[in-house]
Amino acid sequence: MTESEKFDLILSKIQDVKEELQDVKQRVTGVELHIENVTDKNIQLIAENFVELTNKLNQAIPVADK
């Protein structure tokens, strides 16, 4: 194998790594968007419902004491 062939092989491998890295970047972006659009919204809904449940509990406690 000549030096030129070795160099071409290395360049080919580097190009393969770049393509795989691009795929990984796209997947990470997809995960970030999912977290932002779905998970964050669901956490917000849970927090809002928790506040409502706390308010209902606080209203029920005085009634239970009577």
Side-chain angles (χ1 to χ4, degrees):
M1 184 177 274
T2 66
E3 293 295 319
S4 178
E5 290 173 335
K6 290 178 183 178
F7 184 71
D8 289 342
L9 181 62
I10 291 171
L11 288 176
S12 172
K13 294 293 182 182
I14 290 173
Q15 186 61 34
D16 292 344
V17 169
K18 283 183 176 181
E19 289 172 5
E20 288 182 32
L21 182 59
Q22 186 63 30
D23 291 341
V24 170
K25 285 181 180 180
Q26 289 174 348
R27 292 185 67 192
V28 167
T29 300
V31 170
E32 288 172 342
L33 289 173
H34 177 78
I35 288 172
E36 183 177 334
N37 293 333
V38 176
T39 307
D40 289 352
K41 183 176 180 177
N42 288 341
I43 290 171
Q44 181 181 1
L45 289 172
I46 290 170
E48 289 171 359
N49 287 329
F50 179 77
V51 170
E52 289 179 28
L53 286 174
T54 304
N55 291 337
K56 287 181 182 180
L57 178 62
N58 289 338
Q59 291 173 357
I61 288 175
V63 173
D65 287 341
K66 294 179 183 179

